[in-house]
Amino acid sequence: QVQLQESGPGLVKPSETLSLTCTVSGGSINNYYWSWIRQPAGKGLEWIGRIYTSGSTNYNPSLKSRVTMSVDTSKNQFSLKLSSVTAADTAVYYCARDQGFDYYGMDVWGQGTTVTVSS
Amino acid sequence: QSVLTQPPSASGTPGQRVTISCSGSSSNIRSSYVYWYQQLPGTAPNLLIYRSDQRPSGVPDRFSGSKSGTSASLAISGLRSEDEADYYCAAWDDSLTLWVFGGGTKLTVL
């Protein structure tokens, strides 16, 4: 079955850009939405945004000015960039397959990767 | 402040039935399906209920979901110690154009 794995630096300096990649295995990346969600320690889930394999995106308005998502179907990967990070962006970041609100929702999740923003 | 409202905690004894509520608005729960996720300590969320009342394969039928108007609920019957986890509801918000989550409910099995 489909599995997702996040990768990227675990430590990012304030004001720099956080970059994460999610690798999809066990299935095709094509014809799905792919979402990013984050969770600060001890807190709830926050949806960051999603990208369709055509490149179409939806971003959380609260983060939209700092978020860029991309997809590389040849590598079965999609990516997140979050610019001008602060300590408030410290969280566990998850990627997930997003089958839409009228189908299966976010049905497969990666294990998550911890990103700390600190100098 | 989460868009969807859940009680922060719930509890029950083994074998009991517990329910967790999720309250929203006309732009999310009323107009969308509701999804429920279980997050065991130190792990990623796992889909428990989709399209408000459907269970993915492998999810025990002890778990059930329902929706009415702008509210939804998750019921767990025959409570077990392994059900101790955080539970989150989610829905698509038509107005905000994003997925919204509840703040999560920590379930304790006494």
Side-chain angles (χ1 to χ4, degrees):
Chain A
Q1 68 272 27
V2 173
Q3 292 185 306
L4 308 182
Q5 178 68 58
E6 305 89 349
S7 59
L11 181 64
V12 181
K13 290 183 168 53
S15 80
E16 295 189 345
T17 296
L18 177 161
S19 295
L20 296 175
T21 295
C22 184
T23 301
V24 180
S25 60
S28 175
I29 196 172
N30 288 311
N31 303 316
Y32 290 104
Y33 284 103
W34 300 93
S35 277
W36 289 97
I37 306 98
R38 70 181 182 179
Q39 184 175 34
K43 296 190 177 180
L45 301 165
E46 180 182 32
W47 185 74
I48 300 169
R50 67 181 184 181
I51 186 165
Y52 195 68
T53 45
S54 65
S56 168
T57 55
N58 298 110
Y59 296 148
N60 187 323
S62 69
L63 297 168
K64 188 173 183 176
S65 63
R66 300 194 291 129
V67 171
T68 304
M69 294 184 184
S70 59
V71 60
D72 187 337
T73 55
S74 67
K75 293 182 179 179
N76 253 27
Q77 293 178 331
F78 60 103
S79 299
L80 166 71
K81 291 187 186 301
L82 181 66
S83 64
S84 304
V85 298
T86 69
D89 296 309
T90 294
V92 176
Y93 284 75
Y94 297 100
C95 57
R97 184 173 71 177
D98 182 345
Q99 296 212 52
F101 69 90
D102 57 351
Y103 203 44
Y104 289 115
M106 292 174 284
D107 66 333
V108 179
W109 293 56
Q111 66 184 27
T113 188
T114 299
V115 178
T116 302
V117 178
S118 175
S119 55
Chain B
Q1 194 98 4
S2 302
V3 175
L4 305 181
T5 301
Q6 297 179 236
S9 64
S11 63
T13 56
Q16 256 189 337
R17 182 178 188 270
V18 298
T19 61
I20 297 171
S21 62
C22 175
S23 176
S25 69
S26 57
S27 65
N28 42 67
I29 291 183
R30 185 185 295 278
S31 57
S32 169
Y33 291 110
V34 177
Y35 295 79
W36 289 92
Y37 296 89
Q38 178 192 56
Q39 187 175 33
L40 297 169
T43 69
N46 183 56
L47 181 65
L48 204 57
I49 298 288
Y50 68 97
R51 275 192 256 173
S52 301
D53 59 8
Q54 301 296 303
R55 283 185 309 276
S57 60
V59 174
D61 60 6
R62 302 186 296 104
F63 294 90
S64 62
S66 63
K67 188 190 91 162
S68 178
T70 59
S71 294
S73 62
L74 172 71
I76 309 172
S77 60
L79 199 61
R80 296 184 174 187
S81 58
E82 58 259 40
D83 298 332
E84 195 160 279
D86 293 325
Y87 293 84
Y88 293 90
C89 59
W92 182 260
D93 192 293
D94 273 341
S95 175
L96 301 173
T97 320
L98 78 165
W99 283 103
V100 291
F101 288 96
T105 298
K106 183 175 185 61
L107 175 65
T108 301
V109 181
L110 301 170

